[in-house]
Amino acid sequence: MTSRVPGTLPPTDPRGGDVPVTPPPAVPRVRGNDYTVLDPPALGAWAPTLRVSVVIPAYNGQQALDLVLAGLAAQTYPAELTEVIVVDNGSSPALRLPPIRPPGTRLITCATPGRANARNAGLAAATGDVVHWLDSDVIPDRHEVEAHMRWHHQAPYLVVTGYLRFTTAALPSPDVVASGDLAALFEPAEPHEWLVDLVARTNGLTEASGRAFSLHVGGATSVGRLLIERAGPMDEELALGQDTEMGYRLAQAGAVFVPEPLACGYHLGPSMRMRDKRLIDRVSHATIADRVPPYRWLRTHPTRQWKVPYLEVVVEAAGYEDTRATVDAVLAGTVPDVSVLLVGPFDTLVPERRAPLTDPSLDLALIRGHFAYEARVRLVAAPPERVAPFRLCLPAGWLPGEDTLARLLDLAVDDGHGLVGVLLSESPEGLAVARLERRSAFSRAAFFASTPLDDAVDDVSGTLWTDAETWGFVPADDATPPKGRRMAYRARLETEAELARLNKEAERLRAQVAKWREESARWRKSAVDLRREVGTLRREVSSLKSSRLRTVIKRISVRLPRRPDDAQPLP
């Protein structure tokens, strides 16, 4: 199949010869998950060119399937650009194609049970530029496919999810669905509360680039074919959680996730999650943790390893001592789910048996011997395809501090950087740098072949350069040996004991403060009583002074001589 996704057409006539053709338009660059920079056309006001494959896995439920196909038969997207693949996943009796269906509808079978197996069978049969997952109990609105596809004509790395509403209305006939108004048939209905809440909390997912992949809902999502080819099919080992796990891999392949309210569909009855959320979480969380590193709350164990590490560190093998010191420092850090890729010609190494001390490949042999049985270290000839969401390229001889890698990861996650570069040293021989690379940013940048990769990463995610000292990188000669787990355990016990002592002392001080407060309250009460007594005494003194003054005045007046004119005649 020749893809017609924008940005993938050849610059010359594909029939051969020298006839020039118009080059494809430049692929737009979306930063983070801010798809609002794109400008999709209004419904009915554009001319589509991309083909879409609608894949419907089904197990029994013939009546519901008939309604789904009737809804697809009424779509506004051109029928000649649409194929529908129904995958019968072992139904009994076998499913059949009803009379009302899109003209390009096929029915295939998948005997292996499981939605992932059925979807992968449909994916293998699909020929479209876009794959649209649709459940066999979701009836699409007549504009549903067009609402999806108007986005996919904007960029080749989009994942578009429609809005489902869950209805318990009585089922109509297929001919009514094909010609009627679905809202009139199925309302009132409940929204997909989790999806609506996620979109509302993240400003339409534009502020949730690290978690946007959760929007990949298998019952109502469309994906550009190039993205699926890069991410791979659904994980058939999973019993539940396949949609989320594939959404994560699509994100690592460079996807931008778009919620599209105009792509509406009605789900017949409540979803499985609505019925049994607690049990579903119990089952899916047990296996999703191994495969989706950004779900940090599922990786709380302090030391265990996971199928997909959070960080992979690439170290070019150099001298034995320098290489060993760097790798040991990485493994001794506070990031437990880390793997190391030691790059060197290990596959061609033939150790010298007779004179090993003069072997020109002695250092390489020592490196292989030292790390051959360390589960977190892989000896490779060249860096393989990225697996972890983050990759650190670190030269041998430079050691991160115990918490350096965790701090760098926090910086990249919190600020959304696609590349964090650390200048380690500068010499006449050149620069020594460490590079922390976000896989999803580099995958999206790969869509823009005309631009240097680092520049494209800066466009879609941003870059930051910093210095070694700030983040705790030191040369091997200046490093202190990493602490062993026993030392860390003892240090933790000492810290916990000191914390318990300080808590006890704080409790004693709080009790003492409470006691002082009680005494202070008594003192305040005594002071109030004393002030009252003083006031009473002052009033009494004042009264006494006044009474005594009158007495003294009276006595003085008695003793004073009378005036002459007041004298009485002698008898």
Side-chain angles (χ1 to χ4, degrees):
M1 179 191 70
T2 301
S3 174
R4 287 188 293 274
V5 177
T8 63
L9 294 176
T12 57
D13 190 336
R15 297 167 296 180
D18 299 324
V19 179
V21 297
T22 303
V27 178
R29 304 188 179 191
V30 175
R31 188 177 182 89
N33 204 66
D34 188 9
Y35 55 87
T36 60
V37 299
L38 303 177
D39 187 22
L43 296 179
W46 61 299
T49 59
L50 299 182
R51 296 185 68 250
V52 57
S53 298
V54 182
V55 176
I56 307 175
Y59 175 69
N60 295 331
Q62 181 71 58
Q63 185 180 12
L65 177 63
D66 292 351
L67 299 180
V68 174
L69 292 176
L72 288 172
Q75 292 297 304
T76 58
Y77 199 73
E80 64 273 16
L81 295 177
T82 304
E83 71 172 354
V84 178
I85 302 171
V86 178
V87 184
D88 187 344
N89 197 206
S91 302
S92 180
L95 296 174
R96 55 172 176 75
L97 294 181
I100 302 178
R101 64 179 188 267
T105 302
R106 289 183 285 153
L107 176 63
I108 66 174
T109 60
C110 174
T112 306
R115 288 200 310 167
N117 299 84
R119 284 183 179 156
N120 286 342
L123 177 62
T127 62
D129 302 299
V130 175
V131 175
H132 182 3
W133 310 117
L134 192 66
D135 279 351
S136 60
D137 53 2
V138 173
I139 303 175
D141 176 80
R142 60 192 301 267
H143 298 292
E144 198 261 0
V145 174
E146 182 186 357
H148 278 268
M149 293 301 295
R150 70 193 188 116
W151 285 99
H152 290 289
H153 284 71
Q154 301 297 301
Y157 49 80
L158 300 185
V159 176
V160 183
T161 294
Y163 279 56
L164 295 181
R165 294 182 65 78
F166 299 85
T167 179
T168 57
L171 300 186
S173 62
D175 57 326
V176 172
V177 168
S179 60
D181 178 7
L182 295 190
L185 296 173
F186 297 115
E187 292 291 349
E190 296 183 38
H192 196 309
E193 291 185 358
W194 175 85
L195 185 149
V196 172
D197 178 65
L198 175 65
V199 171
R201 285 187 289 107
T202 58
N203 193 22
L205 286 187
T206 61
E207 299 173 0
S209 57
R211 289 288 310 279
F213 66 85
S214 301
L215 189 76
H216 183 259
V217 178
T221 297
S222 59
V223 185
R225 185 62 181 249
L226 287 180
L227 272 177
I228 294 182
E229 291 175 355
R230 294 185 178 191
M234 286 198 164
D235 190 335
E236 297 176 356
E237 293 182 358
L238 295 175
L240 292 173
Q242 306 98 325
D243 295 343
T244 299
E245 190 276 338
M246 187 173 191
Y248 163 71
R249 284 187 285 112
L250 290 169
Q252 299 311 302
V256 170
F257 296 83
V258 181
E260 176 50 88
L262 295 179
C264 180
Y266 285 90
H267 189 287
L268 302 179
S271 68
M272 190 190 317
R273 177 166 290 276
M274 288 178 173
R275 296 191 301 265
D276 299 302
K277 180 182 183 304
R278 184 182 64 82
L279 294 178
I280 288 175
D281 287 345
R282 181 172 183 263
V283 174
S284 63
H285 288 178
T287 49
I288 283 294
D290 252 325
R291 295 161 168 82
V292 183
Y295 284 175
R296 308 305 296 156
W297 67 91
L298 296 178
R299 295 189 173 192
T300 57
H301 194 281
T303 58
R304 70 153 289 183
Q305 302 302 295
W306 309 90
K307 180 178 181 179
V308 180
Y310 191 49
L311 171 68
E312 55 189 9
V313 180
V314 178
V315 179
E316 293 276 353
Y320 167 65
E321 284 78 12
D322 281 350
T323 304
R324 174 181 175 178
T326 297
V327 175
D328 284 349
V330 168
L331 298 180
T334 57
V335 178
D337 48 339
V338 61
S339 68
V340 177
L341 302 172
L342 259 176
V343 181
F346 296 103
D347 54 343
T348 62
L349 182 62
V350 179
E352 171 60 49
R353 301 296 184 182
R354 297 186 181 278
L357 298 183
T358 60
D359 185 355
S361 301
L362 178 60
D363 277 20
L364 199 63
L366 294 178
I367 292 171
R368 184 174 70 176
H370 187 75
F371 291 110
Y373 302 103
E374 167 54 59
R376 291 177 292 174
V377 176
R378 292 171 55 197
L379 308 178
V380 296
E385 183 180 351
R386 301 171 190 264
V387 174
F390 290 97
R391 170 176 283 186
L392 176 69
C393 300
L394 182 63
W398 281 91
L399 281 59
E402 188 174 6
D403 200 44
T404 294
L405 301 186
R407 292 170 57 213
L408 277 178
L409 288 167
D410 288 344
L411 174 67
V413 170
D414 293 343
D415 295 343
H417 298 304
L419 169 64
V420 177
V422 182
L423 177 60
L424 302 174
S425 67
E426 186 175 3
S427 67
E429 289 76 23
L431 301 178
V433 299
R435 292 167 54 96
L436 179 65
E437 301 173 352
R438 183 191 292 265
R439 178 184 173 191
S440 59
F442 276 77
S443 295
R444 191 182 305 169
F447 280 94
F448 317 120
S450 61
T451 303
L453 196 58
D454 282 6
D455 292 343
V457 168
D458 190 32
D459 289 339
V460 302
S461 195
T463 62
L464 174 70
W465 283 91
T466 183
D467 63 281
E469 184 178 359
T470 299
W471 297 96
F473 286 96
V474 295
D477 293 340
D478 299 338
T480 57
K483 293 181 180 179
R485 286 188 179 177
R486 191 70 183 274
M487 293 176 62
Y489 172 72
R490 289 174 175 172
R492 179 168 62 84
L493 290 183
E494 292 174 0
T495 301
E496 290 174 351
E498 179 66 11
L499 180 61
R501 186 189 70 77
L502 292 175
N503 285 336
K504 186 176 180 180
E505 178 65 12
E507 192 64 32
R508 185 189 68 79
L509 292 175
R510 281 193 290 269
Q512 184 65 45
V513 168
K515 181 180 178 181
W516 287 340
R517 284 175 176 169
E518 290 178 1
E519 292 181 2
S520 175
R522 289 197 299 270
W523 292 340
R524 286 195 296 269
K525 186 176 181 300
S526 298
V528 170
D529 293 342
L530 286 174
R531 283 195 293 270
R532 289 175 180 172
E533 291 180 9
V534 169
T536 300
L537 289 174
R538 283 177 176 171
R539 288 192 296 273
E540 291 179 357
V541 168
S542 177
S543 177
L544 288 173
K545 286 181 177 180
S546 176
S547 174
R548 188 171 181 182
L549 180 60
R550 286 194 298 272
T551 303
V552 170
I553 291 174
K554 187 175 181 180
R555 289 177 181 176
I556 291 174
S557 64
V558 171
R559 293 178 181 177
L560 286 175
R562 297 177 181 236
R563 290 179 297 179
D565 50 347
D566 290 338
Q568 298 294 325
L570 294 172

PDB file of all heavy atoms in Angstrom, residues 130-143:
ATOM      1  N   VAL A 130      -5.492   5.242   7.722  1.00  0.00           N
ATOM      2  CA  VAL A 130      -5.871   5.442   9.123  1.00  0.00           C
ATOM      3  C   VAL A 130      -6.638   4.210   9.566  1.00  0.00           C
ATOM      4  O   VAL A 130      -7.452   3.658   8.806  1.00  0.00           O
ATOM      5  CB  VAL A 130      -6.746   6.704   9.288  1.00  0.00           C
ATOM      6  CG1 VAL A 130      -7.240   6.839  10.722  1.00  0.00           C
ATOM      7  CG2 VAL A 130      -5.959   7.948   8.879  1.00  0.00           C
ATOM      8  N   VAL A 131      -6.385   3.762  10.788  1.00  0.00           N
ATOM      9  CA  VAL A 131      -7.122   2.647  11.376  1.00  0.00           C
ATOM     10  C   VAL A 131      -8.035   3.199  12.466  1.00  0.00           C
ATOM     11  O   VAL A 131      -7.578   3.911  13.371  1.00  0.00           O
ATOM     12  CB  VAL A 131      -6.176   1.588  11.956  1.00  0.00           C
ATOM     13  CG1 VAL A 131      -6.963   0.491  12.672  1.00  0.00           C
ATOM     14  CG2 VAL A 131      -5.316   0.986  10.854  1.00  0.00           C
ATOM     15  N   HIS A 132      -9.306   2.896  12.356  1.00  0.00           N
ATOM     16  CA  HIS A 132     -10.305   3.386  13.305  1.00  0.00           C
ATOM     17  C   HIS A 132     -10.850   2.189  14.075  1.00  0.00           C
ATOM     18  O   HIS A 132     -11.550   1.341  13.538  1.00  0.00           O
ATOM     19  CB  HIS A 132     -11.433   4.087  12.536  1.00  0.00           C
ATOM     20  CG  HIS A 132     -12.500   4.682  13.412  1.00  0.00           C
ATOM     21  ND1 HIS A 132     -12.453   4.669  14.788  1.00  0.00           N
ATOM     22  CD2 HIS A 132     -13.666   5.312  13.101  1.00  0.00           C
ATOM     23  CE1 HIS A 132     -13.528   5.258  15.284  1.00  0.00           C
ATOM     24  NE2 HIS A 132     -14.277   5.654  14.270  1.00  0.00           N
ATOM     25  N   TRP A 133     -10.463   2.109  15.380  1.00  0.00           N
ATOM     26  CA  TRP A 133     -11.010   1.056  16.235  1.00  0.00           C
ATOM     27  C   TRP A 133     -12.463   1.409  16.579  1.00  0.00           C
ATOM     28  O   TRP A 133     -12.759   2.528  16.964  1.00  0.00           O
ATOM     29  CB  TRP A 133     -10.226   0.921  17.528  1.00  0.00           C
ATOM     30  CG  TRP A 133      -8.740   0.814  17.428  1.00  0.00           C
ATOM     31  CD1 TRP A 133      -7.821   1.685  17.922  1.00  0.00           C
ATOM     32  CD2 TRP A 133      -7.981  -0.239  16.818  1.00  0.00           C
ATOM     33  NE1 TRP A 133      -6.550   1.259  17.668  1.00  0.00           N
ATOM     34  CE2 TRP A 133      -6.614   0.070  16.982  1.00  0.00           C
ATOM     35  CE3 TRP A 133      -8.335  -1.410  16.142  1.00  0.00           C
ATOM     36  CZ2 TRP A 133      -5.605  -0.742  16.501  1.00  0.00           C
ATOM     37  CZ3 TRP A 133      -7.320  -2.237  15.668  1.00  0.00           C
ATOM     38  CH2 TRP A 133      -5.976  -1.896  15.848  1.00  0.00           C
ATOM     39  N   LEU A 134     -13.349   0.438  16.479  1.00  0.00           N
ATOM     40  CA  LEU A 134     -14.742   0.665  16.850  1.00  0.00           C
ATOM     41  C   LEU A 134     -15.277  -0.618  17.475  1.00  0.00           C
ATOM     42  O   LEU A 134     -15.145  -1.702  16.876  1.00  0.00           O
ATOM     43  CB  LEU A 134     -15.584   1.048  15.633  1.00  0.00           C
ATOM     44  CG  LEU A 134     -16.989   1.580  15.912  1.00  0.00           C
ATOM     45  CD1 LEU A 134     -16.941   2.914  16.645  1.00  0.00           C
ATOM     46  CD2 LEU A 134     -17.781   1.714  14.609  1.00  0.00           C
ATOM     47  N   ASP A 135     -15.868  -0.523  18.659  1.00  0.00           N
ATOM     48  CA  ASP A 135     -16.422  -1.706  19.308  1.00  0.00           C
ATOM     49  C   ASP A 135     -17.739  -2.108  18.655  1.00  0.00           C
ATOM     50  O   ASP A 135     -18.449  -1.273  18.070  1.00  0.00           O
ATOM     51  CB  ASP A 135     -16.628  -1.453  20.800  1.00  0.00           C
ATOM     52  CG  ASP A 135     -15.333  -1.609  21.585  1.00  0.00           C
ATOM     53  OD1 ASP A 135     -14.336  -2.081  20.996  1.00  0.00           O
ATOM     54  OD2 ASP A 135     -15.307  -1.246  22.780  1.00  0.00           O
ATOM     55  N   SER A 136     -18.076  -3.368  18.815  1.00  0.00           N
ATOM     56  CA  SER A 136     -19.272  -3.907  18.154  1.00  0.00           C
ATOM     57  C   SER A 136     -20.560  -3.533  18.871  1.00  0.00           C
ATOM     58  O   SER A 136     -21.636  -3.992  18.464  1.00  0.00           O
ATOM     59  CB  SER A 136     -19.171  -5.432  18.073  1.00  0.00           C
ATOM     60  OG  SER A 136     -19.081  -5.999  19.374  1.00  0.00           O
ATOM     61  N   ASP A 137     -20.471  -2.717  19.915  1.00  0.00           N
ATOM     62  CA  ASP A 137     -21.678  -2.213  20.579  1.00  0.00           C
ATOM     63  C   ASP A 137     -21.686  -0.689  20.645  1.00  0.00           C
ATOM     64  O   ASP A 137     -22.331  -0.091  21.499  1.00  0.00           O
ATOM     65  CB  ASP A 137     -21.819  -2.805  21.988  1.00  0.00           C
ATOM     66  CG  ASP A 137     -20.561  -2.612  22.837  1.00  0.00           C
ATOM     67  OD1 ASP A 137     -19.597  -1.990  22.336  1.00  0.00           O
ATOM     68  OD2 ASP A 137     -20.541  -3.102  23.980  1.00  0.00           O
ATOM     69  N   VAL A 138     -20.950  -0.047  19.742  1.00  0.00           N
ATOM     70  CA  VAL A 138     -20.892   1.417  19.666  1.00  0.00           C
ATOM     71  C   VAL A 138     -21.469   1.856  18.318  1.00  0.00           C
ATOM     72  O   VAL A 138     -20.895   1.568  17.261  1.00  0.00           O
ATOM     73  CB  VAL A 138     -19.457   1.949  19.825  1.00  0.00           C
ATOM     74  CG1 VAL A 138     -19.417   3.452  19.577  1.00  0.00           C
ATOM     75  CG2 VAL A 138     -18.928   1.632  21.215  1.00  0.00           C
ATOM     76  N   ILE A 139     -22.598   2.550  18.359  1.00  0.00           N
ATOM     77  CA  ILE A 139     -23.252   3.015  17.139  1.00  0.00           C
ATOM     78  C   ILE A 139     -22.764   4.432  16.841  1.00  0.00           C
ATOM     79  O   ILE A 139     -22.992   5.350  17.631  1.00  0.00           O
ATOM     80  CB  ILE A 139     -24.780   2.995  17.302  1.00  0.00           C
ATOM     81  CG1 ILE A 139     -25.242   1.586  17.679  1.00  0.00           C
ATOM     82  CG2 ILE A 139     -25.467   3.457  16.026  1.00  0.00           C
ATOM     83  CD1 ILE A 139     -26.716   1.485  17.969  1.00  0.00           C
ATOM     84  N   PRO A 140     -22.086   4.640  15.718  1.00  0.00           N
ATOM     85  CA  PRO A 140     -21.516   5.960  15.430  1.00  0.00           C
ATOM     86  C   PRO A 140     -22.549   6.924  14.866  1.00  0.00           C
ATOM     87  O   PRO A 140     -23.412   6.543  14.071  1.00  0.00           O
ATOM     88  CB  PRO A 140     -20.432   5.662  14.395  1.00  0.00           C
ATOM     89  CG  PRO A 140     -20.955   4.460  13.669  1.00  0.00           C
ATOM     90  CD  PRO A 140     -21.725   3.649  14.677  1.00  0.00           C
ATOM     91  N   ASP A 141     -22.438   8.177  15.290  1.00  0.00           N
ATOM     92  CA  ASP A 141     -23.200   9.252  14.655  1.00  0.00           C
ATOM     93  C   ASP A 141     -22.779   9.366  13.189  1.00  0.00           C
ATOM     94  O   ASP A 141     -21.659   8.975  12.815  1.00  0.00           O
ATOM     95  CB  ASP A 141     -22.925  10.562  15.400  1.00  0.00           C
ATOM     96  CG  ASP A 141     -23.601  11.752  14.767  1.00  0.00           C
ATOM     97  OD1 ASP A 141     -24.799  11.940  14.998  1.00  0.00           O
ATOM     98  OD2 ASP A 141     -22.911  12.488  14.020  1.00  0.00           O
ATOM     99  N   ARG A 142     -23.644   9.911  12.346  1.00  0.00           N
ATOM    100  CA  ARG A 142     -23.379   9.937  10.903  1.00  0.00           C
ATOM    101  C   ARG A 142     -22.135  10.745  10.537  1.00  0.00           C
ATOM    102  O   ARG A 142     -21.547  10.544   9.471  1.00  0.00           O
ATOM    103  CB  ARG A 142     -24.602  10.474  10.150  1.00  0.00           C
ATOM    104  CG  ARG A 142     -25.016  11.889  10.526  1.00  0.00           C
ATOM    105  CD  ARG A 142     -26.408  12.218   9.956  1.00  0.00           C
ATOM    106  NE  ARG A 142     -26.436  12.097   8.514  1.00  0.00           N
ATOM    107  CZ  ARG A 142     -26.215  13.121   7.681  1.00  0.00           C
ATOM    108  NH1 ARG A 142     -25.957  14.336   8.165  1.00  0.00           N
ATOM    109  NH2 ARG A 142     -26.269  12.948   6.381  1.00  0.00           N
ATOM    110  N   HIS A 143     -21.705  11.668  11.406  1.00  0.00           N
ATOM    111  CA  HIS A 143     -20.498  12.464  11.132  1.00  0.00           C
ATOM    112  C   HIS A 143     -19.265  11.895  11.829  1.00  0.00           C
ATOM    113  O   HIS A 143     -18.189  12.506  11.744  1.00  0.00           O
ATOM    114  CB  HIS A 143     -20.702  13.912  11.598  1.00  0.00           C
ATOM    115  CG  HIS A 143     -21.812  14.634  10.897  1.00  0.00           C
ATOM    116  ND1 HIS A 143     -21.759  14.970   9.572  1.00  0.00           N
ATOM    117  CD2 HIS A 143     -23.022  15.073  11.354  1.00  0.00           C
ATOM    118  CE1 HIS A 143     -22.872  15.597   9.223  1.00  0.00           C
ATOM    119  NE2 HIS A 143     -23.657  15.661  10.283  1.00  0.00           N
TER     120      HIS A 143
END
